[in-house]
């Protein structure tokens, strides 16, 4: 049985096989209609979600299984130990996916679980998003994806951390174009920092304009952590962050005349990390990327259940 807290423990061959299976299932959906017949996944949410919830639930349904939405706040996770509630769950379901505020709580779920656990995004990692992103790049790049250049423009966070891990393992060129003073606070991870410093495939720059000149893909994500975006207590921090980040906005000036695809993992904050015209630009693959959450999830579920069944 293998858990997916992040992508660190997966080999490049395992990651490639998950992506290949995602592509295969996307092209041959009916062939996999009964692959997870009778299986149930508990989907635990401490934070808001549109894509993660919908894609996992639809993926389970289309593979023949069932996804059960569990809202943390209205479940007895709020009353009891995480390990106890998880151990109970894992006697009734065959997999668990959790979107949590803190990775430490995901580790508690993993320690209490007798079934595979998938990280549906925490403050440090968003492995399912990174798999989706590379799946989308493969669909939009002629030739070997290893010769593509992905430029992530914005703040270092759970999404960029997962891209760092995945691109390093797959040998994809990734440039992080983020401010030097971008202290990535709660999303900081020693393994990721070490990879940025030592990988032949990953580099950091503060110069977004220079970095995008050789980009095949220009990618951005929200500048403000989702749980803080509408929080009045974070207004001052939000204002300072927006001022710092404006040179990193994806707008017509930044990508003028460039032959690159534009990516965003959604939800979008129009006029902040990206302007509305760039969301609808012919180069944007944002909605294809969002749709691909479903297909990447299927590839990952296929792999996780293969591990559990052998
Ligand atoms: N990209 C992403 O994880 O979307 P949701 O927050 O809507 O799940």
């Amino acid at each position: 049985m293998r858990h997916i807290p992040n992508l660190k423990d997966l080999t490049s061959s395992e990651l490639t096989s998950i992506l290949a299976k995602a592509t295969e299932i996307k092209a041959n959906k009916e062939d996999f209609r009964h692959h997870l017949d009778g299986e149930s996944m508990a989907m635990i949410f401490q934070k808001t979600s549109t894509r993660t919830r919908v894609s996992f639930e639809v993926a389970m349904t289309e593979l023949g299984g069932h996804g059960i939405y569990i809202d943390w706040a209205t479940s007895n996770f709020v009353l009891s130990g995480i390990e106890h509630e998880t151990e109970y769950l894992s006697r009734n379901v065959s997999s668990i996916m959790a979107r949590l505020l803190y990775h430490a709580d995901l580790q508690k779920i993993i320690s209490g679980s007798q079934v595979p656990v998938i990280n549906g995004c925490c403050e440090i990692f968003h492995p399912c998003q990174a798999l989706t992103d590379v799946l989308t790049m493969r669909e939009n790049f002629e030739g070997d994806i290893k010769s593509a250049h992905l430029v992530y423009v914005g703040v270092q966070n759970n999404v960029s951390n997962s891209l760092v891990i995945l691109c390093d393992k797959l040998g994809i060129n990734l440039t992080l174009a983020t401010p030097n003073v971008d202290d990535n606070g709660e999303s900081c991870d020693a393994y990721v920092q070490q990879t940025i410093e030592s990988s032949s495939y990953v580099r950091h720059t503060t110069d977004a304009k220079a970095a995008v000149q050789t980009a095949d893909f220009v990618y951005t994500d929200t500048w403000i952590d989702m749980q803080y975006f509408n929080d009045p207590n974070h207004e001052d921090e939000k204002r300072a962050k927006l001022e710092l980040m404006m040179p990193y906005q994806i707008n017509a000036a930044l990508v003028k005349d460039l032959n690159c695809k534009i990516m965003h993992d959604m939800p979008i904050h129009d006029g902040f990390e990206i302007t509305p015209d760039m969301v609808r630009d012919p180069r944007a693959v944002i909605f294809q990327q969002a749709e691909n959450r479903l297909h990447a999830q299927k590839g990952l579920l296929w792999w996780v259940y293969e591990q559990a069944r052998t």
Side-chain angles (χ1 to χ4, degrees), residues 182-245:
D182 177 18
D183 113 49
N184 57 342
E186 65 178 17
S187 71
C188 194
D189 178 74
Y191 174 102
V192 170
Q193 289 311 118
Q194 176 62 31
T195 304
I196 294 169
E197 282 159 29
S198 62
S199 169
S200 336
Y201 303 108
V202 182
R203 63 202 63 80
H204 174 256
T205 179
T206 55
D207 191 341
K209 186 72 184 170
V212 299
Q213 298 310 308
T214 56
D216 298 296
F217 299 91
V218 175
Y219 188 141
T220 191
D221 182 25
T222 182
W223 294 338
I224 314 283
D225 284 349
M226 57 199 290
Q227 66 268 31
Y228 301 135
F229 201 85
N230 295 319
D231 182 346
N233 297 324
H234 279 78
E235 269 310 308
D236 289 347
E237 190 184 326
K238 185 173 161 186
R239 203 170 301 111
K241 189 69 160 278
L242 296 182
E243 200 169 313
L244 170 73
M245 293 309 301

Side-chain angles (χ1 to χ4, degrees), residues 6-42:
N6 47 55
L7 301 174
K8 291 180 193 176
D9 295 334
L10 284 101
T11 65
S12 62
S13 150
E14 289 170 335
L15 291 161
T16 303
S17 104
I18 291 168
L19 290 166
K21 191 55 75 172
T23 300
E24 183 189 341
I25 302 175
K26 184 175 180 179
N28 305 283
K29 177 174 151 181
E30 292 308 318
D31 293 352
F32 293 86
R33 193 53 94 177
H34 299 289
H35 191 71
L36 296 185
D37 270 357
E39 306 286 7
S40 295
M41 164 180 265

Side-chain angles (χ1 to χ4, degrees), residues 48-53 99 121 126 129 226 265-267 293:
T48 58
S49 169
T50 307
R51 278 144 292 279
T52 303
R53 176 179 178 180
R99 165 166 289 197
C121 185
H126 199 348
Q129 185 63 53
M226 57 199 290
D265 58 316
M266 303 182 81
R293 286 297 301 275

